[in-house]
Amino acid sequence: MDRIKKQRKRTSILTYWTLRYIIIISTGLLLTALLTFWWIQQEAMSNRMQTTGLLAQEIADRSVSSDGTMQISPTLAKLVEDRKRFFKVSLEMCVIVTDPAGKLLFSDPPLTQEEMHDKLNDTLTDARSPEFKAAVAQIREGGETLGQVIVLQSKRSLRHIPQEEIIFFSIIVLFLIILSWLTIYLLSGKLAKPIQRVAAAASQISSGEYNIILDTGAKEREIHELLVSFQEMSGKLQQFEQSRAVMLAGVSHELKTPVTSIKGLVHAVREGVVEGDEADEFLDIALQEAGRLQRMVADLLDYNALTAGIVAVRHDRIDAVPLLSEIIYQWRLTQAEEVNEPVLELPDKPLYVRGDPLRIQQIIVNLLNNSVQAAPAGEPLQLTVKLSRVPQAYVEICITDDGPGIAPDIRDRVFEAFFRSSSKQSQLRGLGLGLTFSRLLAEAMGGSLRLGEPPAEGCTFVLTLPLQP
């Protein structure tokens, strides 16, 4: 039984990040609120204990008569009651006045001696229960201790925060959580919109629609760069798709033409349409077309192999002067008489480069053949090959001809794969990979191939190779 994998449910970026941000912020705000609430309680307890101490001292001061003896004021009970109402702890405050021997003289609420000892420790200086705290003030006169005042206050009442303040504090925390959620929601929505547009555009591209128009007016630099880059990418993909279609059409046409010619020529010979010398001529033409077809297939395979990085290129130390002389000599032997002897401008001293001699020969022969193919029929062609050293430890090989040159409007496209000028398309059969393949070879050796500044007549190609000490 086949197992059916359940796809994980995907959420939108707005929901995903909003939910997580609100959880984090809410948790942080709640923890901060709890910590703040605890701190407020501790501060309230400290402040109220100071006030309780002042109350104990006030009672102690009121318990001394004018003649210097200890006397419980008749208004003491009323004073204590007023203070209880002030603290709002009428049931949780206990005021005790004793003499120096610890005898109970006054208490509010009323207590017996035994009950007093239950509330205070043995030294009568602190509460016996850990739930209470005590403030003690000595009743003194002229350096003599007449007694003491103990004010007991429960910790719960000391930490008490009015309900109105709790409600107000809770409303503030809730407001901050809502404000944080709204801010995060708006920011996440703002960030999600361009991503959604890019995702929608990517979906269109995957379905074959490359004419994408995005609003690149975002104020944020990163989002603006994302939208602009995606817009440019879609444009390049559209150009690539168009070039691919043209390339396939061109390659199909160029490969089909010699195949059709070979088939027709061989069929004519086989059926006896031509005989004798004419049949031999037909077979010779068929062989030429087969050779041209073989070269086109080889160019296509070499180009694909080099772009895929599976062609090995050597990096030998080569003396460029004898290598260039030998390449020109061998190439001249294969040319017709209307091609003049190339002019070689070589240095007197050895000049060593780093590269692959076979690949260097491929590049130079291809450039020389291009010049010959572009020359008008019946007109002599003069080629000049110059070898020189340039700064930054490089060597230049300049190949110049006096042919018709390259039109300014196509100079930027001569190295494009499968590109051929209209004049070449009408005169020659080929895939338009020669210059592209030559540049890739030059770059694989650490150099470059470029179109030089146009001379008065013709054109110049510059092959640059790294100098090898």
Side-chain angles (χ1 to χ4, degrees):
M1 180 179 180
D2 296 335
R3 294 182 179 180
I4 301 175
K5 296 182 178 180
K6 297 182 179 179
Q7 292 185 351
R8 184 179 179 182
K9 187 178 180 180
R10 304 291 178 180
T11 58
S12 67
I13 188 172
L14 180 60
T15 303
Y16 184 88
W17 288 113
T18 301
L19 180 61
R20 277 152 182 78
Y21 282 152
I22 199 62
I23 291 175
I24 293 172
I25 289 179
S26 299
T27 303
L29 285 175
L30 289 176
L31 290 177
T32 303
L34 292 175
L35 183 62
T36 303
F37 191 73
W38 174 84
W39 177 80
I40 291 174
Q41 284 184 328
Q42 299 304 312
E43 286 295 311
M45 178 184 291
S46 176
N47 293 334
R48 286 169 179 169
M49 278 304 299
Q50 292 178 6
T51 305
T52 303
L54 293 176
L55 173 60
Q57 188 62 50
E58 180 185 3
I59 296 174
D61 294 339
R62 289 173 178 265
S63 298
V64 180
S65 64
S66 59
D67 58 359
T69 60
M70 181 176 174
Q71 179 182 5
I72 303 300
S73 173
T75 62
L76 180 57
K78 185 177 185 306
L79 174 66
V80 173
E81 197 64 33
D82 291 341
R83 296 299 181 262
K84 285 183 177 181
R85 284 195 298 270
F86 175 78
F87 286 114
K88 298 181 180 179
V89 287
S90 58
L91 298 178
E92 297 184 357
M93 177 186 284
C94 181
V95 178
I96 300 173
V97 180
T98 67
D99 62 9
K103 182 180 178 181
L104 178 64
L105 301 177
F106 173 85
S107 66
D108 188 350
L111 299 173
T112 64
Q113 189 73 24
E114 291 75 13
E115 290 173 338
M116 180 189 73
H117 284 290
D118 290 338
K119 287 184 175 292
L120 299 176
N121 58 10
D122 295 338
T123 60
L124 305 180
T125 57
D126 201 355
R128 189 178 296 277
S129 171
E131 297 299 323
F132 285 81
K133 293 181 71 68
V136 180
Q138 300 296 324
I139 304 173
R140 296 178 182 274
E141 178 61 30
E144 181 183 1
T145 302
L146 304 178
Q148 66 179 1
V149 178
I150 305 104
V151 179
L152 292 175
Q153 188 101 320
S154 70
K155 291 183 179 180
R156 186 174 67 86
S157 63
L158 291 172
R159 291 193 296 260
H160 174 72
I161 297 176
Q163 187 176 4
E164 295 79 6
E165 295 182 13
I166 296 176
I167 294 174
F168 178 74
F169 191 75
S170 302
I171 291 174
I172 292 178
V173 172
L174 182 60
F175 173 76
L176 289 176
I177 292 176
I178 295 175
L179 181 62
S180 301
W181 172 81
L182 182 61
T183 303
I184 293 168
Y185 182 82
L186 295 176
L187 289 176
S188 299
K190 185 174 179 60
L191 291 175
K193 285 183 180 179
I195 298 176
Q196 290 171 349
R197 292 199 297 267
V198 170
S203 178
Q204 293 181 9
I205 291 176
S206 65
S207 62
E209 299 179 19
Y210 297 96
N211 189 19
I212 303 299
I213 298 177
L214 294 174
D215 181 10
T216 58
K219 295 181 180 179
E220 298 84 353
R221 182 185 62 190
E222 293 80 1
I223 295 178
H224 171 74
E225 292 176 353
L226 171 66
L227 295 173
V228 170
S229 299
F230 195 90
Q231 182 80 45
E232 293 176 352
M233 181 195 71
S234 64
K236 290 181 180 179
L237 284 175
Q238 186 175 17
Q239 293 178 359
F240 176 78
E241 183 64 20
Q242 293 174 351
S243 300
R244 185 182 68 87
V246 173
M247 176 199 72
L248 290 176
V251 170
S252 301
H253 174 74
E254 295 299 333
L255 294 178
K256 180 180 179 181
T257 301
V259 171
T260 303
S261 299
I262 293 171
K263 181 178 179 181
L265 293 168
V266 173
H267 185 74
V269 174
R270 180 181 179 183
E271 297 296 326
V273 177
V274 293
E275 296 178 352
D277 294 340
E278 190 176 8
D280 293 339
E281 182 181 357
F282 270 43
L283 291 176
D284 290 339
I285 297 174
L287 288 174
Q288 292 177 1
E289 291 293 322
R292 185 177 291 111
L293 178 61
Q294 184 180 15
R295 287 193 298 273
M296 287 191 290
V297 173
D299 287 345
L300 188 60
L301 293 175
D302 289 342
Y303 171 75
N304 289 335
L306 188 59
T307 52
I310 59 176
V311 173
V313 176
R314 295 166 53 185
H315 297 275
D316 299 337
R317 186 173 184 264
I318 308 166
D319 188 349
V321 174
L323 175 64
L324 198 57
S325 300
E326 181 63 22
I327 292 173
I328 299 302
Y329 173 74
Q330 294 181 7
W331 177 81
R332 182 67 184 84
L333 295 177
T334 62
Q335 302 303 309
E337 295 181 356
E338 59 265 19
V339 179
N340 296 330
E341 185 72 25
V343 177
L344 280 174
E345 298 181 10
L346 305 175
D348 297 331
K349 298 180 180 180
L351 196 58
Y352 292 94
V353 299
R354 186 177 72 249
D356 189 328
L358 179 60
R359 302 304 183 183
I360 295 174
Q361 181 178 6
Q362 280 184 275
I363 296 172
I364 294 176
V365 168
N366 181 58
L367 295 175
L368 295 172
N369 288 337
N370 281 351
S371 296
V372 173
Q373 293 171 359
E379 295 185 11
L381 178 69
Q382 183 60 59
L383 292 163
T384 301
V385 180
K386 180 181 179 181
L387 174 66
S388 60
R389 179 175 177 175
V390 294
Q392 288 84 38
Y394 281 94
V395 171
E396 282 187 353
I397 302 175
C398 299
I399 300 176
T400 305
D401 63 51
D402 60 352
I406 299 176
D409 58 333
I410 64 171
R411 286 178 62 86
D412 295 336
R413 302 189 59 193
V414 293
F415 289 103
E416 290 183 11
F418 306 101
F419 172 76
R420 294 185 303 156
S421 64
S422 56
S423 59
K424 270 195 170 186
Q425 291 178 9
S426 61
Q427 296 175 7
L428 303 169
R429 293 177 184 172
L431 298 179
L433 289 174
L435 289 177
T436 307
F437 185 65
S438 297
R439 170 175 273 188
L440 290 175
L441 286 176
E443 292 173 351
M445 291 185 290
S448 63
L449 179 62
R450 58 183 173 85
L451 188 60
E453 294 297 325
E457 293 182 353
C459 69
T460 299
F461 283 92
V462 181
L463 171 63
T464 303
L465 295 171
L467 182 66
Q468 182 70 46

